[in-house]
């Protein structure tokens, strides 16, 4: 596991615990997503690593207008510990903790072409049946797959793409 993930874990858990106690999962998700997106920008990342930057200014740069005072204090704690660059990892871990708490599986369906609503509904239904949970599906298009789709649901990856099938066939023929 990368050092960034190891360092981010306690902060993600603290953010999750605070959001759970406040009953504000969605606002914290939104605020973390915003702050993580800003912190991941290369220009902002360079600025955050500058020791001349005042912690208050760093927090002001990253805090969304609609966020709670608690979220601002969370960012101030991160700034004090020089952990603001970890915001993308913290946001990702927070979303995983939230999905587990809400019994939701997050899945990404990457297909060669845009999926129709009916195809997406069929995939959601199949994933709901397989995991026994609600499924939050995001989609992506990758023309290099040639046909079919790849479903990534955390620890489970289902490669039904033509590219994947050709690769497996090539491996089988080579052995």
């Amino acid at each position: 596991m990368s050092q960034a993930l190891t360092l981010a874990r306690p902060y993600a858990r603290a953010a999750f615990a605070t959001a759970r106690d406040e009953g504000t999962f969605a606002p914290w998700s939104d605020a973390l997503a915003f702050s993580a997106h800003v912190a991941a920008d290369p220009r902002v990342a360079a600025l955050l690593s500058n020791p001349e930057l005042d912690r208050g200014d760093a927090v002001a740069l990253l805090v969304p207008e609609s966020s709670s005072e608690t979220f601002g204090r969370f960012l101030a704690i991160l700034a004090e510990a020089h952990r603001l660059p970890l915001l993308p990892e913290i946001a990702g871990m927070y979303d995983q903790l939230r999905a587990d708490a809400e019994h939701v599986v997050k899945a990404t369906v990457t297909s060669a072409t845009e999926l129709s609503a009916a195809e997406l509904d069929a995939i959601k239904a199949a994933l709901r049946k397989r995991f026994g949970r609600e499924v939050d599906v995001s989609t992506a298009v990758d023309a290099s797959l040639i046909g079919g789709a790849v479903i990534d649901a955390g620890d489970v990856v289902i490669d039904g793409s033509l590219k994947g099938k050709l690769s497996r066939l090539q491996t089988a023929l080579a052995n």
Side-chain angles (χ1 to χ4, degrees):
M1 182 173 291
S2 80
Q3 183 179 1
L5 293 177
T6 302
L7 292 172
R9 183 179 296 114
Y11 295 103
R13 288 181 177 159
F16 175 76
T18 302
R20 183 188 57 223
D21 293 347
E22 293 177 348
T24 55
F25 281 144
W28 270 79
S29 283
D30 295 342
L32 279 168
F34 173 85
S35 297
H37 181 74
V38 174
D41 182 286
R43 296 168 295 184
V44 175
L47 187 61
L48 291 176
S49 64
N50 184 340
E52 299 291 317
L53 180 66
D54 179 73
R55 287 188 283 264
D57 292 338
V59 170
L61 177 66
L62 297 170
V63 69
E65 289 182 16
S66 61
S67 67
S68 68
E69 185 179 318
T70 308
F71 185 76
R73 286 196 304 270
F74 174 74
L75 288 181
I77 290 168
L78 290 177
E80 183 71 29
H82 305 287
R83 299 293 190 239
L84 288 173
L86 294 175
L87 274 165
E89 289 83 3
I90 292 168
M93 289 179 152
Y94 173 89
D95 284 341
Q96 289 174 341
L97 291 168
R98 178 183 174 196
D100 288 344
E102 293 177 338
H103 305 293
V104 174
V105 173
K106 292 189 176 273
T108 302
V109 178
T110 306
S111 57
T113 60
E114 194 72 35
L115 295 172
S116 70
E119 291 169 322
L120 197 54
D121 288 342
I123 291 170
K124 284 181 185 178
L127 290 174
R128 248 186 253 110
K129 184 177 178 183
R130 178 169 183 163
F131 293 111
R133 295 173 146 197
E134 282 302 309
V135 180
D136 179 16
V137 175
S138 60
T139 60
V141 175
D142 180 357
S144 74
L145 295 179
I146 305 168
V150 176
I151 300 170
D152 183 351
D155 294 339
V156 177
V157 177
I158 303 165
D159 187 349
S161 69
L162 188 52
K163 179 180 179 181
K165 290 176 184 178
L166 290 171
S167 175
R168 288 189 293 276
L169 179 61
Q170 179 182 16
T171 302
L173 290 173
N175 291 331

